[in-house]
Amino acid sequence: MEPSPVRSIPCAGAEPAPRAIVIGASAGGPPALGRLLAALDPGPDVGIAVVNHVGADGPDMLHTILARLSGRTVVLAQERCPLSGGLVHVAPSGYHLEVGRDRRFSLSVDPRVCYSRPAIDVLFASAAEAYGDALAGVVLTGASSDGAEGLKRIRELGGRAFVQEPSEAEVDTMPLAALECAGADLCAPLAVLASALTAFGRNPRAGLSGYLRPRMAE
């Protein structure tokens, strides 16, 4: 079946997902995101939100690319729409994406964070406040430190932190920065992350002992 890449969807009557996964990537992001999302099966009660730096100042094409690569329904996040289950929500170009305590999105043109807008830290920190221990944060390949502080906040508020194995990442700067600042409940290749995140989606308190060892902050 063909994926359903759409620019936006009506959100009237939609409800926020009870659990969420937030993912950040930069250089090398689209292929890594496509592989991860294609392998994920977290269930219909899990919403996914993505920030990717590459192309963040250009036309909004990432949702179309990720839908094609992953076979999932990928949409642009919209103001006041909920972080709905069963969808992948992508931050639109040029806007920070935040999750309010009501688990609905807001968009802003506030100053850049880590030279980026959208910034991963903004999404991660706001989602941590909204979801607490029902949140997983994922840092993938990239060439900046964006996402490190946000991942730290996710862990502080009881959420799970996942980081792509730096040796697998196209650019290892961002995974290494995340590990140094926040550590990780699981640092692993994409295939292992997908399995662990699927388990998290079904049960956020599921143990990770069957996967690779956690990595502690330096």
Side-chain angles (χ1 to χ4, degrees):
M1 180 180 295
E2 289 293 319
S4 304
V6 293
R7 180 174 177 81
S8 61
I9 59 171
C11 61
E15 294 296 327
R19 297 180 294 283
I21 297 170
V22 288
I23 308 172
S26 185
L33 286 163
R35 287 174 58 196
L36 181 65
L37 293 172
L40 270 177
D41 184 21
D45 292 332
V46 179
I48 300 173
V50 173
V51 165
N52 185 78
H53 293 161
V54 177
D57 295 317
D60 281 311
M61 297 296 297
L62 182 62
H63 62 297
T64 302
I65 293 168
L66 293 183
R68 174 172 50 82
L69 291 175
S70 69
R72 303 182 69 92
T73 300
V74 185
V75 301
L76 282 179
Q78 301 177 74
E79 181 77 21
R80 297 302 304 152
C81 283
L83 204 174
S84 300
L87 298 176
V88 179
H89 307 263
V90 174
S93 299
Y95 292 89
H96 288 310
L97 179 63
E98 298 183 65
V99 181
R101 290 185 179 274
D102 60 358
R103 300 180 175 179
R104 293 179 178 270
F105 292 120
S106 63
L107 305 175
S108 81
V109 290
D110 288 345
R112 294 172 183 267
V113 175
C114 293
Y115 307 100
S116 300
R117 190 176 63 224
I120 300 163
D121 279 334
V122 172
L123 172 62
F124 280 19
S126 62
E129 299 288 342
Y131 276 93
D133 64 2
L135 179 70
V138 187
V139 173
L140 304 180
T141 175
S144 80
S145 63
D146 193 17
E149 290 293 340
L151 197 67
K152 181 179 180 181
R153 187 61 176 156
I154 288 173
R155 297 194 86 185
E156 288 173 346
L157 294 181
R160 294 285 184 90
F162 297 81
V163 177
Q164 184 180 12
E165 170 58 47
S167 64
E168 182 195 58
E170 182 173 326
V171 182
D172 65 8
T173 307
M174 208 152 76
L176 288 172
L179 291 172
E180 181 178 357
C181 177
D185 295 293
L186 181 65
C187 176
L190 293 173
V192 178
L193 291 182
S195 295
L197 287 164
T198 294
F200 169 87
R202 312 264 177 197
N203 177 10
R205 294 169 182 78
L208 296 173
S209 59
Y211 302 97
L212 302 186
R213 291 183 179 180
R215 293 278 290 270
M216 303 304 294
E218 299 292 338

